[in-house]
Amino acid sequence: MNNITGIKYKINIAENNFKHNTKCRVCGNEKLHKFLSLGPIPLANSFLRKNQLDKTEDFYPLDVYFCSNCSLVQLLDVVSPKVLFKEYPYITGASKPMRIHFNGLTEDVFENYKISKDGLVIDIGSNDGTLLKCFSKFGLRILGIEPASNIARLAETNKIPTVNKFFNENCAVNVYKEYGPADIITATNVFAHTDNLENILRGVNHLLSNSGVFVIEVPYILNLLNNIEFDTIYHEHLSYFGVRPLTHLFRKFGMNIVNVKKIPVHGGSIRIFVQKFVTQQPQNVTKLLSLERGAKLDSLDTYMKFAEHVVLIKNKLVKLLMTLKNDGNRITGYGATAKGNTLLNYCKIGTDILDYISDTTPYKQGLYTPGMHIPIFSEEKFHEDPPDYTLLLAWNYADAILQKEKEYRKNGGRFILPIPEPKVI
Ligand code: TMP
Ligand code: ZN
């Protein structure tokens, strides 16, 4: 294994760009246990241009902790949001499965809640406006709040009214003054990204109408643990939620979970509906809480075992790739995902193994992955010059991708799935 790519670039631990928390972000407990260390590695979305490859790259610790009081799994090293989200390469609308998913979300809201015809929907972390576009089909007024300036501009070009700001209490007060109360507030993949959750919730509390519904989606910790989705751990994802810590959090603000359901995105997530002035705990919340107790999500031992599994996956994957490579096979990566960058950096998989990574996002094409510096090309290149094997870094879209690449597979091309156990399919 010693000819696997070593770190051949300059490392800089970017001390000035992150802070280290000493308390749990949900309950304030100081008794936190580190159970896994995946870093130091660069930020998962800090793709590089060719002329940046020789420059010193910023690395950050990637250590994962467990709170023995409220069971929240979390990072304590918090990279400044200004560094993380100023320019952002992830565009929701680039993934067809996400467009379909968001259509489903809007239908879910309309089926379960009475929303007035001229109601206002506000999406926190609205990205390119893909979700809001689905809502606008129902005739609602829409407003996006998006901190990344490049993405906010893109949304405006797509005719999605967008405030280019971080959402917090201050932002909520200003939005309320201009637009009034919101009937629906959505925050998909925002909670896991936020250090100061209380500031967001104060803002939501201010902005949400009394009968309004707040909908959040977060990756679910049980899926992370069951499928060993360790690569979904990266600096942007500060918390790995179960229902238990979320219940704890909303109660602090007089809000309650009124519905929860499991959804298949991002390796398995939960969609949670929250309202003010409702105190009854619905049955499906009780059910998930008991599932979490059964899975021993409140025990450090559960997480220690998970960490052991992660090391096993790393060793097995590297061995598999090396064997295939030594047998003369050409291998690429499929999907230049953020999680792919955790996987590649943690396992030190570089250009000596993967020729390139194909990705459908135009923004990423022509760039290089952070840390391992693997070039990213379009999907056309993958079809024009197909490799013998391709490592499925976008495993969360496995079904859609395997279906889409039927021709490649029929012609002998093979996908390698990295988790829950590396295997060729
Ligand atoms: P995500 O897992 O964060 O949604 O990112 C998915 C990435 O994978 C995104 O960069 C687009 C890319 N992708 C492909 O290249 N081909 C595909 O068929 C799909 C679904 C995604
Ligand atoms: Zn806690």
Side-chain angles (χ1 to χ4, degrees):
M1 270 182 221
N2 49 8
N3 60 342
I4 198 114
T5 313
I7 298 175
K8 53 188 177 194
Y9 35 79
K10 294 173 226 154
I11 288 186
N12 174 44
I13 303 291
E15 305 275 359
N16 294 333
N17 291 340
F18 72 91
K19 60 166 185 168
H20 183 81
N21 287 351
T22 54
K23 290 182 185 160
C24 169
R25 88 172 37 87
V26 159
C27 76
N29 173 31
E30 292 186 9
K31 219 165 157 232
L32 299 156
H33 309 271
K34 176 154 69 168
F35 63 89
L36 177 64
S37 191
L38 297 167
I41 61 172
L43 302 179
N45 273 309
S46 57
F47 294 94
L48 303 164
R49 290 187 299 274
K50 192 171 188 147
N51 65 5
Q52 292 175 308
L53 293 179
D54 295 335
K55 305 223 169 89
T56 305
E57 228 172 326
D58 285 340
F59 279 58
Y60 299 83
L62 188 56
D63 300 332
V64 198
Y65 296 78
F66 164 68
C67 169
S68 53
N69 181 47
C70 75
S71 305
L72 183 71
V73 170
Q74 59 198 295
L75 307 187
L76 294 179
D77 296 297
V78 178
V79 179
S80 160
K82 289 202 178 87
V83 174
L84 272 181
F85 302 119
K86 209 164 146 253
E87 288 281 320
Y88 200 55
Y90 179 78
I91 294 168
T92 311
S95 297
K96 192 174 165 202
M98 284 314 284
R99 297 201 297 270
I100 295 169
H101 169 72
F102 282 142
N103 253 318
L105 193 165
T106 53
E107 280 161 19
D108 201 2
V109 171
F110 280 99
E111 272 163 27
N112 292 295
Y113 300 92
K114 259 208 189 101
I115 311 290
S116 68
K117 275 247 152 31
D118 61 343
L120 173 67
V121 193
I122 293 183
D123 187 24
I124 303 174
S126 51
N127 201 275
D128 62 348
T130 300
L131 173 58
L132 286 171
K133 214 176 191 169
C134 302
F135 274 115
S136 70
K137 283 187 216 143
F138 292 89
L140 300 185
R141 290 177 295 140
I142 54 171
L143 181 69
I145 304 188
E146 170 54 51
S149 51
N150 61 320
I151 309 274
R153 274 198 304 274
L154 178 67
E156 284 281 355
T157 316
N158 297 339
K159 301 206 166 47
I160 308 292
T162 304
V163 177
N164 181 207
K165 287 247 158 64
F166 281 101
F167 182 84
N168 52 29
E169 191 178 15
N170 190 26
C171 171
V173 168
N174 290 328
V175 167
Y176 187 92
K177 273 187 204 147
E178 200 174 334
Y179 297 85
D183 301 281
I184 306 168
I185 301 181
T186 48
T188 60
N189 294 298
V190 170
F191 261 49
H193 295 62
T194 304
D195 186 33
N196 194 338
L197 292 166
E198 303 204 348
N199 203 353
I200 288 209
L201 284 183
R202 278 196 299 273
V204 168
N205 221 344
H206 185 81
L207 204 51
L208 191 67
S209 74
N210 287 345
S211 60
V213 58
F214 178 41
V215 189
I216 72 162
E217 289 185 0
V218 286
Y220 192 34
I221 181 88
L222 262 181
N223 293 88
L224 167 70
L225 294 176
N226 290 342
N227 301 323
I228 326 290
E229 297 168 356
F230 73 92
D231 52 348
T232 63
I233 298 171
Y234 46 88
H235 301 96
E236 287 167 31
H237 295 164
L238 294 170
S239 305
Y240 302 83
F241 287 106
V243 176
R244 185 170 172 231
L246 284 170
T247 313
H248 201 106
L249 184 68
F250 289 121
R251 283 214 187 115
K252 273 198 209 171
F253 291 84
M255 293 191 240
N256 263 291
I257 301 180
V258 295
N259 194 2
V260 58
K261 48 181 74 174
K262 292 192 186 175
I263 47 169
V265 292
H266 296 302
S269 299
I270 40 176
R271 177 179 298 154
I272 292 188
F273 298 81
V274 177
Q275 289 192 293
K276 300 175 180 174
F277 314 116
V278 180
T279 47
Q280 237 180 352
Q281 181 166 291
Q283 226 179 9
N284 50 12
V285 172
T286 311
K287 207 170 132 195
L288 277 192
L289 285 172
S290 107
L291 194 71
E292 291 177 8
R293 272 193 304 276
K296 296 198 169 61
L297 292 196
D298 51 359
S299 159
L300 175 61
D301 196 45
T302 303
Y303 303 94
M304 298 301 281
K305 285 196 183 116
F306 169 79
E308 280 169 23
H309 236 109
V310 172
V311 176
L312 289 180
I313 291 183
K314 172 185 178 168
N315 292 340
K316 193 166 173 190
L317 179 64
V318 168
K319 196 169 160 203
L320 171 66
L321 291 170
M322 291 299 293
T323 307
L324 292 173
K325 194 75 189 170
N326 289 338
D327 288 347
N329 291 295
R330 283 182 60 230
I331 315 176
T332 67
Y334 197 102
T337 54
K339 59 184 161 300
N341 287 326
T342 295
L343 183 102
L344 298 171
N345 280 292
Y346 174 65
C347 300
K348 306 238 175 336
I349 298 167
T351 48
D352 53 345
I353 303 241
L354 302 184
D355 290 5
Y356 65 87
I357 298 175
S358 57
D359 194 284
T360 47
T361 319
Y363 181 93
K364 293 182 187 175
Q365 293 158 11
L367 299 179
Y368 294 77
T369 64
M372 301 320 292
H373 298 184
I374 302 170
I376 301 164
F377 293 125
S378 68
E379 205 170 76
E380 285 72 46
K381 164 132 176 130
F382 174 82
H383 292 137
E384 277 159 19
D385 184 20
D388 301 300
Y389 290 83
T390 188
L391 176 61
L392 188 52
L393 299 168
W395 51 255
N396 47 325
Y397 299 121
D399 292 346
I401 289 173
L402 292 180
Q403 175 68 18
K404 188 166 93 177
E405 300 298 354
K406 271 197 304 235
E407 241 352 79
Y408 167 69
R409 298 173 72 204
K410 217 169 82 194
N411 294 332
R414 292 283 171 263
F415 278 89
I416 303 167
L417 263 185
I419 60 143
E421 205 182 349
K423 65 169 182 212
V424 175
I425 47 170

